[in-house]
């Protein structure tokens, strides 16, 4: 895969009318980019929405709710300020799905719309130093904002593609943020923590199995001794 691919853009440009009322229709876009860095490293960077000001058009600010030093995990939340449809939109995002190195799903909510952002991370089959990121986003206006449907359609026609093109440029440049000293330190610390937790779980499981085996063995020996004594 070379460069940015536009897999599909499904734009429902009409505004449906039901009983004389305007009805909003979801708008969906699907784009893929090839970027420098392994899938897990790239996912870790993209999952932290504080980095979106560096590549996502219209994102003016992004703050992590709660402890900003904690790793991004399922349930992590962000507050962002985005310029969209000619409006400044405060939005709240939550990580609703997270599969390390493979998948990330963020659910966004503003006064005017909902947005679901799905990212899929795959290793590049031709170069281990690169990965492919597929971005599928769906925007749904709230019913009372139906008159903004044409603007939403125009937004989705260009912004998601621009976001992936910008992500590609940002991560493929000589000073890529996924290889900066600051990110490298945080990423390695998180990986060590994850590895330690994994080993701790395995050790606890092994100890539990060992205890269970020892207890069973003792009980068995006790029953055998009792039986012999009765005989």
């Amino acid at each position: 895969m070379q460069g940015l691919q536009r897999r599909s853009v499904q734009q429902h440009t009409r505004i449906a009318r039901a009983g004389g009322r305007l009805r909003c229709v979801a708008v969906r876009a699907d784009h893929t980019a090839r970027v420098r860095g392994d899938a897990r490293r790239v996912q870790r960077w993209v999952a932290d929405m504080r980095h979106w000001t560096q590549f996502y058009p219209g994102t003016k600010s992004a703050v992590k709710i709660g402890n900003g030093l904690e790793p991004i995990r399922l349930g992590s939340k962000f507050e962002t300020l985005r310029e969209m449809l000619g409006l400044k939109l405060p939005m709240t995002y939550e990580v609703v799905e997270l599969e390390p190195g493979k998948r990330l799903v963020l659910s966004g909510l503003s006064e005017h719309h909902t947005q679901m952002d799905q990212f899929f991370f795959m290793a590049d089959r031709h170069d281990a130093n690169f990965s492919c990121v597929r971005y599928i986003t769906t925007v749904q206006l709230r019913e009372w904002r139906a008159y903004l449907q044409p603007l939403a359609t125009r937004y989705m026609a260009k912004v998601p593609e621009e976001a992936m093109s910008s992500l590609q440029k940002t991560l493929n440049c000589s000073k890529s943020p996924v290889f900066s000293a600051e990110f490298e330190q945080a990423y390695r610390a998180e990986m060590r923590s994850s590895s330690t937790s994994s080993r701790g779980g395995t050790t606890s499981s092994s100890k539990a199995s060992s205890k269970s085996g020892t207890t069973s063995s003792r009980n068995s020996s006790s029953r055998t001794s009792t039986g012999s004594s009765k005989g």
Side-chain angles (χ1 to χ4, degrees):
M1 181 183 296
Q2 296 293 328
L4 181 70
Q5 291 194 356
R6 185 176 184 175
R7 296 174 67 95
S8 67
V9 179
Q10 298 174 4
Q11 299 168 11
H12 305 279
T13 55
R14 66 186 177 84
I15 302 179
R17 288 182 179 273
R21 293 178 57 197
L22 294 176
R23 181 169 60 84
C24 295
V25 182
V27 188
R28 179 178 181 273
D30 185 343
H31 300 282
T32 302
R34 180 175 182 266
V35 300
R36 191 158 67 96
D38 64 85
R40 187 153 186 171
R41 176 185 291 270
V42 173
Q43 183 201 44
R44 169 66 178 77
W45 191 83
V46 172
D48 190 339
M49 291 194 73
R50 289 171 293 189
H51 297 143
W52 284 37
T53 56
Q54 299 181 48
F55 75 93
Y56 205 98
T59 303
K60 301 303 179 183
S61 65
V63 178
K64 185 173 182 289
I65 300 174
N67 189 343
L69 299 178
E70 287 184 349
I72 308 302
R73 55 171 61 96
L74 197 65
S76 290
K77 293 182 179 181
F78 298 86
E79 289 182 344
T80 70
L81 179 62
R82 181 178 295 174
E83 286 190 0
M84 177 181 173
L85 310 178
L87 304 169
K88 288 188 176 181
L89 302 179
M91 293 187 66
T92 300
Y93 268 94
E94 181 177 355
V95 178
V96 294
E97 291 186 42
L98 182 62
E99 187 177 357
K102 295 182 179 180
R103 189 165 184 248
L104 166 70
V105 182
L106 295 153
S107 177
L109 177 67
S110 81
E111 180 185 357
H112 306 282
H113 78 297
T114 60
Q115 184 165 339
M116 185 69 71
D117 292 326
Q118 301 180 69
F119 292 88
F120 299 87
F121 304 85
M122 301 154 281
D124 190 299
R125 292 178 296 176
H126 307 291
D127 191 335
N129 295 315
F130 283 79
S131 57
C132 303
V133 183
R134 182 182 178 187
Y135 174 46
I136 302 174
T137 182
T138 305
V139 167
Q140 174 75 60
L141 289 172
R142 293 177 181 272
E143 291 297 326
W144 65 285
R145 290 295 189 184
Y147 67 90
L148 292 174
Q149 187 73 46
L151 293 177
T153 300
R154 288 203 296 272
Y155 171 87
M156 293 294 282
K158 64 176 184 177
V159 172
E161 184 175 12
E162 289 176 358
M164 293 307 285
S165 178
S166 180
L167 177 68
Q168 188 176 64
K169 291 177 181 177
T170 300
L171 300 191
N172 290 359
C173 70
S174 59
K175 295 183 179 180
S176 172
V178 298
F179 294 104
S180 68
E182 181 181 0
F183 180 76
E184 187 72 26
Q185 182 178 4
Y187 177 67
R188 288 185 178 277
E190 186 175 320
M191 292 296 286
R192 284 195 300 270
S193 176
S194 176
S195 178
T196 301
S197 298
S198 178
R199 285 199 302 270
T202 302
T203 302
S204 298
S205 178
S206 298
K207 286 182 177 179
S209 298
S210 177
K211 278 185 178 180
S212 177
T214 303
T215 302
S216 298
S217 177
R218 285 176 179 170
N219 289 339
S220 178
S221 298
S222 177
R223 285 196 299 269
T224 301
S225 299
T226 303
S228 298
S229 176
K230 287 181 178 179

